[in-house]
Amino acid sequence: MRTSKYLLYTNKNNNINNELISYKLMLKSGMIRKINSGIYVWLPIGLKILKNIKKIIYKEINKINFFEINIPIIQSANLWKKSKRFQKYGLELIKFYNRKKKLFILSPTNEEIINKIINNEIISYKQLPIKFYQIKTKFRDEIRPNYGVIRSIEFIMKDAYSFHNSNKCLKKTYNIIYKTYIKIFKKLNLFFYIIKANSGTIGGNISHEFYSLFKNFKNKKFFINNFNNIKNIKVIKLIINNNKYNIEKLRIIKFINFININKIFNIFNKNIVKIKFIKSNNNKIIALLFNKNKILNAFKIYKLKNIYKPLNYICKKKINNIFKKSLYSIKKFFLNIIIIADYNIIKIKNFIIKFKKNKKILIGLNWNINLISPYIANLNNFTKNIINFKIKNNLLISKNIEIGHIFQIGTKYSKIINSNNFKKKINMGSYGIGITRLVAAIIEQNYDKKGIIWPDNIAPFKISILPINFNNFKLVKKKSIYIYNKFKKKNIDILLDDRNKHIGKLFNDIDLIGIPHLIIINNINCKNGFIEYKNRKNKNKKIIKIEYIINFLLNKINFFKKE
């Protein structure tokens, strides 16, 4: 696309009365415009980003054999009264009367109506399981729609529903969806974690919430969550760089001493080292050793190669079973694990490894004497940009955005809405992803002082051509159009900035919008057969021959790479 034929709505206004970085950048980059509180217009740049996110979700949901449908936004209030959610949803439910004085609602979710469809269309258990999904606008009358598209009145959501003749079948689909959500959020390049959650007004006994982390947020009152019920925390990060960290086999450990913790703990307190166990991607146990005064940083752990994803600590019961038997089982255990130690404990001599569960410690340990030298890594230095974190099970957690919620609902709706066509009631699952929220969540993790830094697969344009004095130098214009047309033929989203504006304005707009790859074309380089390439994320610049730029960038954006 050429900017002379495209509408860029960039805005440098800094007087935006909202502390969310994502909201400010969405307004400045021309993605959205506010119409009323909680109601936004999505402009061309924002709409392209939404479409790219939807494309990823469509692909993954279609892979697991969910059928797309289109459920009406307007629904009868009687259906909601029948399920008793009309009262439970309270003031957030948007209601209105039609000309015949019948009461309707604008749908925030679709459990009632999808059950009505199933009741009318399914006549035999042999048709089950059946799975539906849609991506559509929903409505919720928020009391304080303050946080841009994160908490708005009108929002876009992927909602999906599955129906089963047994609870066992429901659990199987639920686990597939659980893994699919992990794939989707990894493809969106998000840091996130998962907790076992309260099912709220949706219902059911089992549900899980997916939360995206903030890069930087200062308001302690924002999006308050009760972290007391966190279980099996899992933090996911897609590692896109080729980390050269290798894990090799350990040599034999000579000996390990252990002693009752009550006798010696206080004497050697300063030398105590904590230990946590996680799995490698080949199901070996990895021992993470770190200073007792430090907290493990999951972001740092995910920079290591061969870590099992999602990150999950091995349960204390399993570790305890290994250590409680005898000295020899402890020794054998350490022979078959991988040890990774934080920088801060490498110089400690005669250190102690503390095990809380069985009230024992290993004492007098020294590297290359009692234990082979470990692999050294940065495990617990806090990331400077992460603030207002919470600590649970020695894991770093920052403020968050709920991006997904899945439910094993069971028979709650089928026993109310469905007729007596079946001897037993149908088991139901419900699965949601907040798509407009995802846009804000991705920005909150990908920005700098100049603007947004979009991942390649989400960016509105993959490449931008920035010609200097486009209308004054024929060679610059010729080469710019030549490269632009080459990428267009390859079906690559590319933006040629041919506006007759100051070069500073052009650079600022491209950085603000967050286009990952920038080609800078000036007259001097063109005469010598070169152009300049700049990477938006790492700021790296390269001077490249003009004839090589096409293949160079196709490789950069993984155009030939099959998923």
Side-chain angles (χ1 to χ4, degrees):
M1 183 64 66
R2 295 175 68 155
T3 51
S4 58
K5 298 179 180 179
Y6 194 74
L7 296 174
L8 293 179
Y9 294 99
T10 54
N11 176 14
K12 282 293 183 180
N13 179 19
N14 289 317
N15 298 320
I16 299 170
N17 187 24
N18 195 299
E19 53 197 309
L20 266 187
I21 293 293
S22 57
Y23 181 63
K24 291 178 181 178
L25 289 176
M26 289 176 80
L27 288 173
K28 289 181 179 180
S29 63
M31 291 175 59
I32 59 171
R33 288 292 180 264
K34 184 177 178 180
I35 301 301
N36 292 106
S37 181
I39 302 174
Y40 301 90
V41 171
W42 287 79
L43 298 174
I45 289 284
L47 204 57
K48 283 179 71 68
I49 290 155
L50 277 176
K51 286 179 179 178
N52 289 338
I53 292 173
K54 288 179 185 179
K55 185 178 178 181
I56 291 169
I57 294 173
Y58 275 127
K59 188 169 184 178
E60 293 303 319
I61 298 299
N62 287 334
K63 278 182 185 178
I64 56 175
N65 299 317
F66 273 67
F67 297 103
E68 187 178 9
I69 58 173
N70 186 11
I71 300 172
I73 293 168
I74 298 174
Q75 298 176 15
S76 170
N78 289 334
L79 203 56
W80 280 68
K81 288 178 180 178
K82 193 172 183 180
S83 70
K84 299 181 180 178
R85 284 209 301 170
F86 187 83
Q87 294 80 16
K88 285 183 180 179
Y89 232 94
L91 296 175
E92 288 189 359
L93 205 60
I94 298 178
K95 315 170 191 74
F96 68 95
Y97 289 92
N98 70 357
R99 67 180 72 184
K100 296 179 180 179
K101 307 298 182 184
K102 288 186 177 181
L103 184 59
F104 289 86
I105 60 106
L106 294 181
S107 167
T109 182
N110 293 293
E111 282 76 16
E112 284 82 0
I113 195 165
I114 197 72
N115 268 277
K116 186 176 178 64
I117 293 166
I118 290 296
N119 184 52
N120 293 336
E121 302 299 328
I122 304 300
I123 59 174
S124 170
Y125 278 126
K126 292 180 180 180
Q127 294 175 266
L128 302 175
I130 191 165
K131 297 168 280 188
F132 295 124
Y133 83 99
Q134 67 168 357
I135 295 178
K136 199 164 183 178
T137 302
K138 307 286 189 304
F139 297 88
R140 182 176 50 217
D141 195 1
E142 289 281 0
I143 298 173
R144 288 178 295 175
N146 270 347
Y147 304 110
V149 298
I150 293 176
R151 192 178 284 277
S152 57
I153 292 172
E154 180 178 314
F155 55 96
I156 299 171
M157 181 179 172
K158 188 283 299 175
D159 54 319
Y161 310 91
S162 63
F163 299 88
H164 311 266
N165 60 11
S166 69
N167 194 48
K168 183 179 178 181
C169 184
L170 167 60
K171 286 181 178 180
K172 184 178 179 180
T173 297
Y174 186 88
N175 290 332
I176 291 170
I177 278 282
Y178 184 97
K179 292 174 183 178
T180 300
Y181 273 34
I182 290 172
K183 287 181 184 179
I184 289 170
F185 297 141
K186 283 172 67 176
K187 285 190 173 184
L188 295 174
N189 201 32
L190 280 169
F191 281 108
F192 66 97
Y193 65 95
I194 305 163
I195 68 170
K196 191 172 182 181
N198 188 314
S199 297
T201 58
I202 300 293
N205 296 321
I206 298 174
S207 73
H208 287 85
E209 290 174 322
F210 296 74
Y211 284 97
S212 167
L213 302 175
F214 275 68
K215 180 180 179 181
N216 190 356
F217 197 76
K218 297 181 179 181
N219 183 359
K220 293 181 180 179
K221 294 182 180 179
F222 175 75
F223 233 72
I224 296 299
N225 269 296
N226 181 7
F227 284 88
N228 294 327
N229 65 342
I230 291 182
K231 296 179 180 178
N232 299 323
I233 299 172
K234 302 177 182 181
V235 178
I236 291 82
K237 172 70 170 74
L238 178 63
I239 303 301
I240 57 176
N241 61 321
N242 294 320
N243 199 309
K244 295 182 180 179
Y245 190 96
N246 293 314
I247 295 176
E248 301 172 0
K249 291 182 180 179
L250 291 171
R251 285 177 281 152
I252 295 174
I253 300 171
K254 291 183 179 178
F255 66 87
I256 298 175
N257 296 325
F258 72 105
I259 193 169
N260 192 293
I261 195 170
N262 296 324
K263 295 181 180 180
I264 200 121
F265 178 77
N266 291 326
I267 301 173
F268 297 99
N269 192 39
K270 65 180 181 180
N271 288 351
I272 290 176
V273 168
K274 285 184 181 180
I275 187 167
K276 284 284 181 181
F277 298 98
I278 60 174
K279 284 197 298 184
S280 70
N281 56 12
N282 58 359
N283 286 324
K284 285 191 175 182
I285 295 175
I286 299 174
L288 302 176
L289 275 64
F290 56 105
N291 192 288
K292 71 179 182 68
N293 295 321
K294 299 288 185 178
I295 302 298
L296 280 182
N297 187 333
F299 302 118
K300 300 291 185 181
I301 296 171
Y302 263 85
K303 289 183 179 179
L304 306 177
K305 195 176 179 181
N306 296 336
I307 299 296
Y308 180 83
K309 300 174 180 65
L311 182 64
N312 198 1
Y313 291 116
I314 298 173
C315 68
K316 291 179 181 178
K317 185 177 180 181
K318 183 176 179 181
I319 297 298
N320 195 38
N321 287 338
I322 296 170
F323 277 87
K324 73 180 180 182
K325 294 178 182 177
S326 68
L327 170 64
Y328 300 103
S329 67
I330 295 173
K331 187 173 181 179
K332 186 177 179 180
F333 175 76
F334 269 93
L335 289 174
N336 294 302
I337 70 171
I338 298 158
I339 301 175
I340 302 176
D342 185 74
Y343 291 107
N344 291 322
I345 67 168
I346 294 304
K347 294 182 180 180
I348 299 178
K349 294 180 180 180
N350 299 314
F351 63 89
I352 300 165
I353 296 179
K354 174 184 171 186
F355 298 94
K356 279 185 178 180
K357 199 71 178 175
N358 54 16
K359 296 184 178 179
K360 291 181 180 179
I361 58 175
L362 308 180
I363 66 168
L365 299 176
N366 290 280
W367 303 115
N368 293 321
I369 298 176
N370 315 115
L371 294 175
I372 190 68
S373 291
Y375 297 95
I376 302 170
N378 187 355
L379 300 178
N380 55 26
N381 287 346
F382 290 135
T383 305
K384 291 180 180 179
N385 289 331
I386 299 290
I387 61 173
N388 290 333
F389 52 83
K390 289 180 178 284
I391 303 301
K392 197 75 176 177
N393 295 334
N394 290 9
L395 188 64
L396 179 69
I397 300 175
S398 79
K399 291 299 180 182
N400 55 77
I401 302 170
E402 183 187 342
I403 51 177
H405 202 159
I406 58 177
F407 305 83
Q408 288 184 38
I409 294 176
T411 62
K412 174 182 175 180
Y413 296 95
S414 62
K415 67 185 179 183
I416 297 171
I417 294 172
N418 293 3
S419 64
N420 295 321
N421 292 340
F422 304 106
K423 292 180 181 178
K424 58 181 179 179
K425 299 304 177 185
I426 296 173
N427 285 273
M428 176 187 182
S430 179
Y431 322 97
I433 292 179
I435 293 177
T436 42
R437 280 186 177 186
L438 278 175
V439 178
I442 294 165
I443 294 172
E444 289 292 343
Q445 293 179 11
N446 298 276
Y447 69 88
D448 60 16
K449 62 182 180 180
K450 293 184 178 180
I452 304 167
I453 305 172
W454 290 113
D456 280 20
N457 60 344
I458 302 166
F461 298 96
K462 303 290 185 291
I463 304 165
S464 176
I465 299 175
L466 204 157
I468 298 174
N469 290 320
F470 178 82
N471 295 309
N472 296 332
F473 293 108
K474 290 182 180 180
L475 186 59
V476 169
K477 188 172 186 177
K478 180 181 176 182
K479 294 299 180 183
S480 299
I481 294 172
Y482 168 78
I483 294 170
Y484 172 75
N485 288 332
K486 282 285 186 181
F487 281 112
K488 288 289 286 182
K489 287 180 182 178
K490 298 283 186 181
N491 293 319
I492 302 293
D493 276 329
I494 185 166
L495 185 69
L496 171 58
D497 201 338
D498 57 354
R499 292 176 294 172
N500 188 20
K501 292 185 179 293
H502 188 272
I503 187 65
K505 167 68 174 171
L506 303 186
F507 272 106
N508 288 339
D509 281 352
I510 295 305
D511 284 340
L512 179 59
I513 293 167
I515 300 174
H517 306 284
L518 176 59
I519 299 171
I520 304 164
I521 302 178
N522 64 50
N523 197 46
I524 295 173
N525 281 338
C526 277
K527 284 181 179 179
N528 295 318
F530 293 95
I531 57 175
E532 184 179 352
Y533 163 78
K534 180 183 176 183
N535 185 282
R536 174 70 182 89
K537 185 174 183 179
N538 57 33
K539 315 297 190 297
N540 288 345
K541 294 181 180 181
K542 288 186 178 181
I543 301 297
I544 301 171
K545 283 190 175 182
I546 293 174
E547 59 264 34
Y548 296 156
I549 190 64
I550 306 297
N551 287 335
F552 173 81
L553 275 172
L554 287 176
N555 289 329
K556 276 280 182 185
I557 61 177
N558 295 319
F559 181 69
F560 295 113
K561 184 178 178 181
K562 293 182 180 180
E563 294 185 1

